[in-house]
Amino acid sequence: MVDLTLVIPIAGIAAFATAGYLTRYVMRQDAGSEKIREVAEAIREGARAFMKRQYTTIAVIAAALAVVFAVALGVGNIVLGAKTAFAFALGSAFSAISGYVGMHISIRANQRCAAAAQSSYNAALKTALRGGAVSGLSIVAMSLLGVSLLYYLYGWGVPATKADQTSVILSMVGFGFGASLVALFAQLGGGIYTKAADVGADLVGKIEKGIPEDDPRNPAVIADLVGDNVGDCAGRGADLFESTAAENIGAMVIGAILFPYFGLAGILFPLVARAFGLLASIVGVFVVRTNEEEPPMRALNRGYAVTTVIAAVFFGFSAYVMLQPGTILGIDPLTDPDGPGPLPGNPFPFASPTTWLYYFVCGLIGIASAFLFIYITQYYTEARFRPVKEIVKAAETGPATDVISGFAVGLEATALPAVTIMGAILGSFYLGELTGIRVFVTPTFSIGGGLFGTAIATMGMLSTAAYILAMDTFGPIADNAAGIVQMAGVSSSVRKQMDKLDAAGNTTKALTKGYAVGSAALAAFLLFSAYLEAAKITSVDLAKPEVFIGGIAGVTLVFLFSAFAIRAVGRAAWAIIKDVRAQFQESPEIMTGGKKPDYGRSVDIVTRAALREMVVPGLLAVLTPIAVGFAFKFIRITPGLGAGEPLGATLMVGTIAGVMLALVLNTGGGAWDNAKKYIESLPAGKGTEQHKAAVVGDTVGDPFKDTAGPSLHILVKLLSTITLVLAPLLV
């Protein structure tokens, strides 16, 4: 039988090599005029300064938590404590590097995209996408190789038994926790920064002074462009890294539980599937090109379609090779879960001979779910469809109706994604159950093939993650390039080309958020089941008062966290608004072009405000599950009930609430943004009362879609990983 595990290092090396080639491609493009270079350098300096200060703050918090968990887990098991702490530190470091990678290339690709737009629309699109692909390929490769190296390091010399392999995977959970923690703070800090700067620039510049977006006279404009990099690039890079890492580990936990059927192949299958998806994404990036008339989204969607088809073919091949019961270890799991070898007769009387095919279809369900999430989000956020048109129409009667219409769109946009999630979980679970696989975890509690089916659906959904991240990073690169073109005073024809790419970038950013929420929802079901195994419980009964209270705590965390994140944007925005107003008052000649604004002053103010404001919501997310777990370890009302069920309710109910609220915030905010962009594209759109109303709606939506919403789907996975880390302390 072919050893497909070799594709893991091959795909990782190929992704890094391709990222290197694409970096060279981007850097070889024309860097533009002196004015373009000057603006780009100011953006680079601001982004570097923010990232340095942000990650210094995050490092202190992460180091403190690593020590706390090492000591707490080490009391009962020194080896487990040390392994968890090391995995946590490694995941944190890799997540931080992912953030830097996301920003590093974007702050170089933006000026080259702006310069390319002066000669070729196709060259500008390719530069932006290939710059984004550097981030997508390298970050997913880091996640793949990081989890793989940790597994081989911790599993070296460990016996090939279900119990031992499960223990190895659970000791790796700290990697996902560390990645989630850093991603949460990175997304929070970057999201607060970018939206505070954006709100400040828009409200004072567009509304009060009546000057265009990205006008060089606006003191906050450089801070706004810096925010695109530290929020949308660095924050999303860390986000996608933790998504793929946490979900890989969760699927490996289920694979370890089903060890009697698949052996090591079931554990390694998620890594192989991720590796093949990485190779498919490389092909998808290189097929994207366009002509002057073609809408940019059509070219980007073509690359996504190619990536998806190749990933699906590879998925089926790897399922056929690796997911045939008994290929590696032949025992009867229903009577002897950890037996030494084959039993007389048919060793798998209850396993279907087409198990691999059932699981391949589960993967296709995940791939189809990704497609559905992307196109549902596109429907609710693109200007050519009904929802955004309704917001545009509502803006004719003022800001209030614009805000009401946009919020209604956000609420409506939960239904179709929810149906997609339900269908994916139900379909993949049902197909998995048809395999006949079942392993008894305890004499009365068993796990069947259905759970592994949902894990494989999640793997299918994430198989195109590298290309999706490339499309996501394309957005802020195009946005920055449009801003640079405006500030550098380039011709109106070039600005028109960049506006097309900028509008497409707004859509790709919205699509990625919908995709991330969908993958978080599928992974949450998977990680919740992994938690049940780690906590040694069979169910979560909400009829018990302690468990019901745990569920309320989960919902409260989601809403309180969102409130703190949105309020943080308001507070930081107020700081930048005061500064912009002050600069205009202190130097009236700024408006006439006689004096340059002090961009650095605005950047410094919003940096300090964002870093200060990110701490409270971040710590709230970490401390709430810890408080619930340890409170119910000592508070006992229901006889025989431990802390596992109440904390499980916090995880389960908080996850459901978090996914739904993230859909509201992400989609509503994206719809408001594109409604404003559509009005601005009209011949007499800018400066009208309708435009001003749309700017207010977009301002309301900014902290929704770029701060609280993206942070929520990280919060969902942080809840899963932190509860898995806590589980040994609660048993």
Side-chain angles (χ1 to χ4, degrees):
M1 192 65 70
V2 180
D3 183 8
L4 291 186
T5 58
L6 292 175
V7 78
I8 298 171
I10 290 172
I13 293 169
F16 281 126
T18 305
Y21 167 78
L22 294 176
T23 299
R24 190 173 173 219
Y25 171 87
V26 170
M27 296 303 292
R28 279 169 37 202
Q29 304 306 304
D30 180 22
S33 65
E34 185 64 33
K35 185 63 177 176
I36 286 177
R37 296 183 189 193
E38 180 185 335
V39 176
E41 182 58 32
I43 295 170
R44 275 198 294 273
E45 288 179 5
R48 287 172 183 152
F50 176 81
M51 292 290 284
K52 181 178 179 181
R53 290 166 69 170
Q54 183 188 41
Y55 278 102
T56 300
T57 305
I58 293 173
V60 172
I61 296 171
L65 285 172
V67 172
V68 168
F69 277 104
V71 172
L73 292 169
V75 171
N77 188 329
I78 295 176
V79 174
L80 177 61
K83 283 185 173 181
T84 302
F86 176 75
F88 176 86
L90 191 65
S92 300
F94 275 29
S95 187
I97 293 170
S98 297
Y100 268 107
V101 168
M103 184 200 70
H104 179 77
I105 188 63
S106 69
I107 58 178
R108 287 162 175 78
N110 53 15
Q111 73 180 96
R112 288 162 175 81
C113 177
Q118 298 179 75
S119 59
S120 169
Y121 169 63
N122 178 53
L125 183 143
K126 283 174 63 178
T127 300
L129 181 66
R130 292 186 175 192
V134 173
S135 177
L137 295 174
S138 56
I139 286 170
V140 175
M142 268 197 295
S143 169
L144 172 68
L145 296 179
V147 173
S148 303
L149 289 172
L150 197 61
Y151 171 72
Y152 284 110
L153 177 64
Y154 284 5
W156 187 267
V158 173
T161 65
K162 178 168 74 75
D164 289 311
Q165 291 297 315
T166 302
S167 178
V168 168
I169 307 301
L170 289 175
S171 68
M172 295 167 52
V173 170
F175 185 88
F177 176 35
S180 297
L181 179 78
V182 170
L184 181 68
F185 279 103
Q187 182 63 67
L188 263 177
I192 293 168
Y193 181 105
T194 185
K195 290 304 104 182
D198 194 6
V199 169
D202 280 358
L203 288 183
V204 182
K206 290 183 180 179
I207 302 297
E208 295 181 10
K209 295 296 182 180
I211 58 179
E213 186 171 6
D214 299 323
D215 192 295
R217 293 171 293 176
N218 192 331
V221 71
I222 291 294
D224 186 12
L225 295 174
V226 168
D228 292 330
N229 294 286
V230 300
D232 292 331
C233 294
R236 194 75 70 253
D239 178 3
L240 264 293
F241 173 84
E242 69 87 22
S243 291
T244 53
E247 287 152 16
N248 262 341
I249 292 172
M252 291 170 76
V253 171
I254 307 304
I257 294 171
L258 300 185
F259 185 86
Y261 281 98
F262 302 115
L264 295 176
I267 298 172
L268 295 173
F269 178 79
L271 301 177
V272 171
R274 176 75 70 253
F276 277 128
L278 200 50
L279 295 175
S281 297
I282 292 173
V283 178
V285 168
F286 281 102
V287 303
V288 175
R289 50 183 42 85
T290 187
N291 54 52
E292 302 301 313
E293 290 77 32
E294 185 180 44
M297 280 308 303
R298 187 178 299 167
L300 296 173
N301 286 338
R302 187 163 55 245
Y304 177 58
V306 170
T307 301
T308 301
V309 170
I310 296 173
V313 172
F314 278 145
F315 209 96
F317 173 64
S318 53
Y320 176 77
V321 172
M322 301 183 74
L323 298 182
Q324 302 209 32
T327 300
I328 296 178
L329 181 66
I331 59 176
D332 185 347
L334 291 177
T335 58
D336 191 4
D338 289 308
L343 298 177
N346 183 1
F348 297 99
F350 299 95
S352 168
T354 55
T355 290
W356 73 271
L357 184 57
Y358 285 123
Y359 283 140
F360 172 44
V361 178
C362 290
L364 293 180
I365 287 174
I367 291 172
S369 298
F371 247 105
L372 286 173
F373 263 98
I374 284 174
Y375 285 106
I376 289 169
T377 307
Q378 198 166 346
Y379 171 74
Y380 279 105
T381 56
E382 267 206 49
R384 57 198 177 102
F385 297 116
R386 173 192 59 83
V388 172
K389 287 181 178 178
E390 285 184 354
I391 300 173
V392 171
K393 182 70 175 175
E396 293 178 0
T397 51
T401 48
D402 181 275
V403 170
I404 290 169
S405 179
F407 190 61
V409 167
L411 293 171
E412 178 192 330
T414 60
L416 291 177
V419 171
T420 302
I421 293 168
M422 291 186 285
I425 291 175
L426 192 62
S428 57
F429 191 89
Y430 174 72
L431 286 169
E433 288 293 292
L434 290 180
T435 64
I437 290 174
R438 187 152 301 277
V439 171
F440 281 89
V441 179
T442 70
T444 58
F445 176 60
S446 64
I447 288 180
L451 192 55
F452 199 47
T454 63
I456 290 177
T458 307
M459 292 299 102
M461 190 168 189
L462 285 168
S463 61
T464 55
Y467 186 85
I468 294 291
L469 184 52
M471 281 208 306
D472 182 75
T473 311
F474 164 91
I477 289 173
D479 191 355
N480 260 209
I484 291 171
V485 164
Q486 176 72 24
M487 291 193 70
V490 181
S491 69
S492 59
S493 61
V494 175
R495 288 202 297 271
K496 187 176 179 181
Q497 294 282 48
M498 285 311 310
D499 284 343
K500 287 167 60 179
L501 293 182
D502 186 15
N506 277 338
T507 301
T508 62
K509 288 188 287 185
L511 300 184
T512 309
K513 288 164 191 167
Y515 171 83
V517 173
S519 67
L522 284 183
F525 181 74
L526 161 67
L527 293 169
F528 177 65
S529 301
Y531 170 78
L532 295 181
E533 158 70 9
K536 308 301 181 190
I537 56 177
T538 59
S539 63
V540 173
D541 184 358
L542 289 174
K544 299 172 183 174
E546 301 97 320
V547 182
F548 190 76
I549 290 169
I552 291 176
V555 175
T556 304
L557 167 62
V558 167
F559 283 90
L560 196 57
F561 173 87
S562 301
F564 285 163
I566 293 170
R567 184 181 296 136
V569 173
R571 287 176 176 169
W574 178 234
I576 192 68
I577 287 170
K578 287 194 294 183
D579 176 67
V580 173
R581 286 174 176 168
Q583 290 204 42
F584 281 130
Q585 290 172 357
E586 294 164 7
S587 305
E589 59 268 32
I590 290 175
M591 282 297 293
T592 62
K595 181 179 179 180
K596 285 179 62 176
D598 188 345
Y599 300 125
R601 179 172 127 185
S602 295
V603 168
D604 184 64
I605 286 172
V606 76
T607 295
R608 286 188 279 110
L611 295 181
R612 182 176 63 250
E613 296 291 345
M614 79 175 185
V615 174
V616 171
L619 289 179
L620 176 72
V622 174
L623 296 178
T624 298
I626 295 175
V628 171
F630 283 99
F632 287 106
K633 187 175 177 65
F634 300 105
I635 298 173
R636 301 293 177 91
I637 301 173
T638 304
L641 180 70
E645 280 194 63
L647 184 58
T650 302
L651 166 61
M652 179 174 66
V653 182
T655 293
I656 295 170
V659 167
M660 290 295 105
L661 186 57
L663 287 169
V664 173
L665 299 177
N666 287 336
T667 313
W672 269 313
D673 192 356
N674 275 341
K676 178 202 71 175
K677 282 280 193 296
Y678 177 77
I679 293 171
E680 289 177 342
S681 71
L682 299 175
K686 291 184 179 180
T688 62
E689 292 303 313
Q690 183 187 21
H691 178 233
K692 291 179 180 179
V695 170
V696 173
D698 177 42
T699 303
V700 173
D702 275 340
F704 282 25
K705 69 181 174 64
D706 288 325
T707 308
S711 298
L712 275 175
H713 49 76
I714 303 176
L715 173 68
V716 165
K717 283 165 284 186
L718 179 68
L719 272 176
S720 298
T721 52
I722 195 172
T723 50
L724 276 171
V725 171
L726 287 172
L729 299 173
L730 305 176
V731 175

